[in-house]
Amino acid sequence: MNNPVNPALASMQDIQTPAEIGLWPLAYGYWFSLVIIIVVSSLLIIWIRKRRQVGAAQRVALTELAALDQNSPQFAVEVSSLLKRAAMSYTSREQVAQLSGDNWYKWLNAQVNNPQDELCQLLALRFQKAQLSEDEKVALRQHAQSWLKTALPLTNTQASAKANAKTNAISNTASEAKQC
């Protein structure tokens, strides 16, 4: 059983397949997508770095607050100076460094949405002869931590508005002093 070979089929050659399509060069849509991904990634990295830089003083202040010795007789003074240093990291030195007493407490309360009167009351006790009790020191640490988390970082508009309020408060106290 010999199969006779068809002479018409014998003269045909095998089908030649075209060369495989390679990845390069990429189509325009891929290049466009690649550029978009690179730009978005770069902007995201820049945003994250700036955000970390802005929050650096807040993180350092919270770390220093946690490291403060609660048994120190100057604990309240150290907390107050820590709050002032943290605030000066976000505003000009002239705005914050000169504040003391009621003006300092008003400025602290002006930076947060919910005024923290207990923080101000505990800070006011720092110059009394009697030291703060352990409960007061714990409360002072918690209120200072809360203030650092909610008030910082200060925005430029927030800081300038607070500076105007401070200037008005100083002028009001000066006019009250003249009346006395």
Side-chain angles (χ1 to χ4, degrees), residues 103 106 165-179:
N103 288 334
K106 288 178 186 175
K166 181 198 69 86
T167 305
N168 292 339
I170 291 174
S171 64
N172 289 342
T173 56
S175 64
E176 289 173 5
K178 289 178 186 177
Q179 292 174 357

Side-chain angles (χ1 to χ4, degrees), residues 30 44 68 86 96 148:
Y30 288 113
L44 184 64
L68 284 178
V96 178
L148 287 170

Side-chain angles (χ1 to χ4, degrees), residues 21-35:
I21 299 174
L23 293 175
W24 297 101
L26 291 177
Y28 293 119
Y30 288 113
W31 284 110
F32 182 71
S33 299
L34 188 63
V35 168

